[in-house]
Amino acid sequence: MLSDFDEKYFFVTGADGRVRDCQIFYPSVPSNGKLMLKPQYTGAFPYFEEEMLKRGYTLCAMSHPTRWGPDSETEETAKFVRLVAEELKMEPKCIVIGMSCGGLQAVRLAELHPELVSVLFLDAPVMNLLSMAGLGACNPTHATGFWNELVKTYGFNKSTILNFRKSPIDNMEPLIENNIPIIMLYGDKDDVVPYEENGQVLEDFYRERGGDLCVMRMEGRGHHPHSLQDPTPIIEFVEAHLK
């Protein structure tokens, strides 16, 4: 449990005037000076983060008024990472953990600020907002709610979303150009974030260009649960690729 670790809870005010909750979880052993960021769903399926905290890594997280990764929120995340790194006297380049919409936020950060990302750990990542908006295979029960959130975040209508070009799949070149390694998990029964319309696009892009990628297919798994209760394979990949 993340509650087993020492924590600092504080607030920052963004450029939009909104107050965001922030957390830093401190390792249970002497710090190794390396930072993790979980941009969404801080306490969800934290098996990997807990084991890394036991190895000396530090975890930080910040709340967001929307989970759909607009540029403005990505910039707030970048400022937050730099703030934490400066306070803790660490390098700001961090391991970014992105589950579902957290994957959207993680990849957007890597695309716009690759200097802040060492490794991506993605699990059923949202990569394509059109897929989430009901224009693909997303379960309609979920897509209706997602659409309402996207309208609130971006002001979309059914016409303007078709011209939207700021999904993570629209700007993947910086990931390859900056040699960002990725480990990605997905469930083959996921009908909330369909892999073929989301993570598969990233997988194909990396494979075609010789990117450093490990993909783990979870047979019979839906959108949940995320991560692995024994996160050893994830830890081994991440630690082997830290720059």
Side-chain angles (χ1 to χ4, degrees):
M1 299 285 290
L2 290 178
S3 59
D4 294 337
F5 300 90
D6 290 340
E7 173 190 2
K8 178 180 180 180
Y9 195 91
F10 60 104
F11 305 94
V12 297
T13 301
D16 57 3
R18 293 182 177 181
V19 175
R20 291 157 173 81
D21 302 341
C22 301
Q23 295 165 281
I24 300 174
F25 295 91
Y26 299 95
S28 56
V29 298
S31 171
N32 63 11
K34 297 185 185 300
L35 191 60
M36 300 182 289
L37 169 72
K38 194 171 184 181
Q40 190 76 26
Y41 315 122
T42 307
F45 309 100
Y47 313 118
F48 169 76
E49 301 91 278
E50 290 168 357
E51 289 302 314
M52 296 295 271
L53 284 162
K54 294 174 185 176
R55 291 169 176 246
Y57 296 82
T58 302
L59 173 66
C60 65
M62 181 177 71
S63 68
H64 299 276
T66 174
R67 57 181 173 170
W68 296 102
D71 287 356
S72 58
E73 279 309 297
T74 304
E75 294 307 316
E76 294 296 341
T77 300
K79 287 193 294 184
F80 170 67
V81 169
R82 294 190 180 103
L83 174 70
V84 172
E86 182 177 356
E87 176 177 327
L88 299 180
K89 304 296 188 292
M90 294 180 176
E91 286 293 323
K93 203 176 209 44
C94 56
I95 303 159
V96 188
I97 303 143
M99 299 175 179
S100 193
C101 282
L104 162 68
Q105 296 174 26
V107 176
R108 289 287 285 150
L109 180 67
E111 291 174 345
L112 296 181
H113 291 282
E115 74 280 3
L116 298 179
V117 179
S118 56
V119 184
L120 286 171
F121 162 33
L122 305 176
D123 192 317
V126 171
M127 293 289 295
N128 178 1
L129 294 192
L130 275 69
S131 175
M132 298 295 94
L135 301 176
C138 177
N139 186 310
T141 302
H142 296 284
T144 298
F146 295 158
W147 170 248
N148 292 334
E149 291 181 36
L150 288 165
V151 169
K152 186 176 180 179
T153 298
Y154 288 100
F156 286 146
N157 58 46
K158 292 292 185 181
S159 176
T160 57
I161 193 174
L162 294 175
N163 295 315
F164 184 71
R165 294 296 180 270
K166 288 190 177 181
S167 289
I169 60 170
D170 296 316
N171 185 34
M172 294 185 287
E173 288 81 4
L175 305 179
I176 289 288
E177 291 169 358
N178 290 277
N179 302 311
I180 295 177
I182 300 173
I183 182 165
M184 181 163 55
L185 280 61
Y186 75 97
D188 65 355
K189 302 299 183 185
D190 189 348
D191 66 348
V192 178
V193 182
Y195 186 70
E196 295 76 11
E197 300 171 357
N198 291 274
Q200 182 77 59
V201 182
L202 175 61
E203 179 181 350
D204 292 346
F205 184 87
Y206 255 56
R207 302 258 187 242
E208 289 167 4
R209 290 159 180 79
D212 200 336
L213 174 74
C214 173
V215 176
M216 300 179 67
R217 177 176 178 265
M218 305 289 107
E219 292 190 14
R221 178 186 286 191
H223 190 58
H224 291 152
H226 292 303
S227 193
L228 300 173
Q229 290 192 30
D230 177 3
T232 300
I234 306 167
I235 292 170
E236 288 177 347
F237 180 91
V238 168
E239 293 198 320
H241 291 81
L242 286 176
K243 300 181 175 116

